[in-house]
């Protein structure tokens, strides 16, 4: 038996004759690229671009679109760049003047001017709101449509709060679609954001972020420093809820941007304070270029945005969400309930992927484009 098996193993199986492939190599690579891209888009649907510029903004454009881009690059873009830089420099000078002879608040390795009082605070806030809205206007957001939901999101008796528990929300919770979200919220409520620590060192923007009262965090850090920042955020939310003169916090609990059609899982850090939250939904409508900053590079996104004459934004503000006792005891439940409500009101699809998957998707697309 062993000798028979050895004889069988010594004889390699007969291979079928190779089928000649007369297809051009370029066509073969394109076919593979298309099939791989389709598979990636199904898996990472929250980050897929669906505008005329295609995947990562590198799609093949029709002749008309190329002509429009060319005209905008030499006419519209220079005007917008000069106007935007002028506004940025002007607001920096305003912040510089208002912070002269003023000592910043230094606590828990943070530094900000958010607790300025008197005329300094009024000038910084009011000028910040006006100039942020003007910046959006320059970028093509001439009209921003607002809608407000009046129904109570916690309709059952268990979730109804007592009158003494009522108060202003300590934090604004918003979906995250683009860096333009920050400009809108600044123009509307001038809140404090959570930003990367490197932002504080940027020219012009660094001082402006300190006047906003940004809380700086090392994004990749999972050490005690990260836990300390979480405690600072929680305390600031509680302070904003108790004190109407304190700056309200603004959080994007998804942790990254999407294409606006999906809502990622919420991080529970913004719900640890047990304070009421104000859910706000941002939606960018488009015909040619999507303002969503999902899988496209920052430079390419800015150029295409500046080339688009009109951009559209729709904002839906939900009623203040007051947590039930059960939600106060379980911040993850609180976060998930707010997320479910926002997805329902904003017609968004709940997704279970996050920042790690986004990086995998971008790396995979870069790999595919490098093969072409």
């Amino acid at each position: 038996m062993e000798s028979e098996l050895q004889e069988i193993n010594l004889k390699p199986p007969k291979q079928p004759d190779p089928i000649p492939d007369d297809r051009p190599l370029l066509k073969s690579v394109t076919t593979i690229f298309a099939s791989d891209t389709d598979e990636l888009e199904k898996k990472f649907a929250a980050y897929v671009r669906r505008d005329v510029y295609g995947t990562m903004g590198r799609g093949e454009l029709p002749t008309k679109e190329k002509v429009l881009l060319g005209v905008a690059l030499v006419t519209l873009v220079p005007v917008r760049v000069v106007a935007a830089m002028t506004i940025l420099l002007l607001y920096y000078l305003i912040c510089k003047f208002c912070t002269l002879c003023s000592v910043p608040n230094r606590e828990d390795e943070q530094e900000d001017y958010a607790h300025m009082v008197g005329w300094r605070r009024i000038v910084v806030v009011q000028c910040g709101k006006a100039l942020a809205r003007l910046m959006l206007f320059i970028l093509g957001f001439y009209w921003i449509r607002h809608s407000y939901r009046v129904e109570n999101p916690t309709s059952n008796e268990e979730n109804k709060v007592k009158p003494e528990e009522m108060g202003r929300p300590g934090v604004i919770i918003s979906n995250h679609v683009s860096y333009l979200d920050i400009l809108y919220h600044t123009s509307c409520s001038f809140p404090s954001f959570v930003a990367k620590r490197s932002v504080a060192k940027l020219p012009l923007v660094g001082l402006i972020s300190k006047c906003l009262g940004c809380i700086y965090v090392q994004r990749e850090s999972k050490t005690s420093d990260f836990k300390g920042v979480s405690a600072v955020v929680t305390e600031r939310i509680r302070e904003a809820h108790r004190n109407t003169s304190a700056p309200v916090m603004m959080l994007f609990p998804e942790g990254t941007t999407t294409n606006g059609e999906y809502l990622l899982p919420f991080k529970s850090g913004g719900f640890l304070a047990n304070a009421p939250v104000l859910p706000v939904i941002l939606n960018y409508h488009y015909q040619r270029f999507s303002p969503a900053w999902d899988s496209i590079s920052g430079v390419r996104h800015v150029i295409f945005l500046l080339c688009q004459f009109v951009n559209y934004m729709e904002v839906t503000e939900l009623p203040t969400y007051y947590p039930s006792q059960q939600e106060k005891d379980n911040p993850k439940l609180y976060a998930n309930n707010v997320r479910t409500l926002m997805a329902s009101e904003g017609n968004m699809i709940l997704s279970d992927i996050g920042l790690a998957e986004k990086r995998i998707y971008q790396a995979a697309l870069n790999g595919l484009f490098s093969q072409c």
Side-chain angles (χ1 to χ4, degrees):
M1 176 67 72
E2 292 181 358
S3 61
E4 292 177 359
L5 289 175
Q6 289 177 357
E7 290 179 2
I8 293 175
N9 291 333
L10 290 173
K11 295 180 180 179
K14 184 178 181 181
Q15 300 293 334
D17 295 333
I19 301 175
D21 189 357
D22 298 328
R23 295 175 297 175
L25 179 59
L26 181 60
K27 183 177 180 181
S28 178
V29 172
T30 304
T31 304
I32 295 174
F33 176 80
S35 61
D36 289 345
T37 302
D38 291 341
E39 184 177 347
L40 286 172
E41 289 182 352
K42 292 178 182 178
K43 189 174 182 180
F44 304 102
Y47 309 121
V48 175
R49 295 192 67 79
R50 307 187 190 280
D51 58 11
V52 298
Y53 291 84
T55 304
M56 300 187 76
R58 300 183 184 182
E60 182 63 29
L61 297 177
T63 304
K64 179 182 177 181
E65 191 65 30
K66 292 178 180 178
V67 172
L68 290 175
L69 276 177
V71 173
L73 279 171
V74 297
T75 57
L76 186 61
V77 173
V79 174
R80 283 182 167 176
V81 169
V82 171
M85 291 304 299
T86 302
I87 290 176
L88 184 62
L89 180 59
L90 174 62
Y91 189 53
Y92 168 80
L93 294 175
I94 292 173
C95 292
K96 191 70 174 178
F97 175 76
C98 291
T99 54
L100 285 175
C101 303
S102 180
V103 179
N105 175 47
R106 292 187 177 92
E107 185 179 0
D108 298 316
E109 299 183 1
Q110 302 291 327
E111 180 178 334
D112 65 77
Y113 294 95
H115 293 81
M116 284 190 303
V117 294
W119 66 269
R120 297 172 185 264
R121 181 65 182 170
I122 294 175
V123 171
V124 167
V125 171
Q126 297 305 319
C127 289
K129 286 183 176 181
L131 293 178
R133 182 62 188 93
L134 182 58
M135 182 75 82
L136 286 171
F137 185 88
I138 290 172
L139 295 177
F141 294 92
Y142 309 119
W143 306 275
I144 298 179
R145 180 182 175 185
H146 292 82
S147 61
Y148 302 88
R149 298 286 191 269
V150 295
E151 64 271 16
N152 190 346
T154 53
S155 57
N156 57 68
E157 294 296 328
E158 180 183 356
N159 287 338
K160 286 186 178 180
V161 295
K162 299 177 182 179
E164 58 268 21
E165 295 177 344
M166 300 289 283
R168 80 161 183 166
V171 58
I172 300 170
I173 298 295
S174 175
N175 63 317
H176 203 8
V177 185
S178 174
Y179 50 82
L180 298 165
D181 305 347
I182 297 174
L183 275 178
Y184 167 75
H185 287 294
T186 299
S187 70
C188 184
S189 53
F190 202 83
S192 298
F193 298 88
V194 175
K196 292 189 293 186
R197 195 175 296 276
S198 58
V199 172
K201 301 178 181 179
L202 292 175
L204 305 181
V205 178
L207 178 61
I208 294 174
S209 69
K210 292 177 182 178
C211 289
L212 277 165
C214 288
I215 298 175
Y216 304 108
V217 59
Q218 194 67 33
R219 191 168 197 173
E220 305 299 334
S221 175
K222 298 298 180 182
T223 61
S224 58
D225 174 67
F226 184 82
K227 296 178 181 178
V229 170
S230 178
V232 173
V233 172
T234 300
E235 181 55 36
R236 289 276 287 272
I237 292 175
R238 288 172 178 167
E239 181 185 4
H241 174 51
R242 296 189 302 260
N243 182 7
T244 55
S245 62
V248 68
M249 282 296 302
M250 167 74 236
L251 294 178
F252 301 108
E254 294 172 283
T256 188
T257 54
T258 68
N259 58 16
E261 301 175 9
Y262 291 78
L263 199 60
L264 307 182
F266 279 7
K267 300 181 186 301
S268 59
F271 302 87
L272 296 173
N274 295 331
V277 303
L278 178 64
V280 177
I281 303 169
L282 303 181
N283 189 10
Y284 295 86
H285 302 288
Y286 63 91
Q287 294 179 348
R288 295 167 50 234
F289 174 72
S290 169
W293 189 28
D294 33 42
S295 57
I296 187 174
S297 70
V299 174
R300 192 180 296 267
H301 186 279
V302 171
I303 292 174
F304 288 160
L305 180 74
L306 292 173
C307 288
Q308 188 155 263
F309 182 71
V310 181
N311 290 293
Y312 302 94
M313 181 191 300
E314 182 178 0
V315 181
T316 303
E317 183 176 313
L318 304 183
T320 300
Y321 190 107
Y322 294 91
S324 65
Q325 187 58 49
Q326 185 180 10
E327 290 169 329
K328 290 180 180 180
D329 296 337
N330 188 346
K332 290 186 178 180
L333 175 65
Y334 186 9
N336 187 62
N337 287 347
V338 173
R339 175 176 176 248
T340 302
L341 172 68
M342 292 178 64
S344 175
E345 294 291 339
N347 295 318
M348 292 179 286
I349 303 170
L350 294 175
S351 174
D352 59 355
I353 59 178
L355 178 59
E357 288 79 7
K358 182 178 185 179
R359 289 173 175 168
I360 294 173
Y361 177 57
Q362 290 175 329
L365 289 179
N366 285 324
L368 288 175
F369 273 108
S370 65
Q371 297 174 12
C372 296

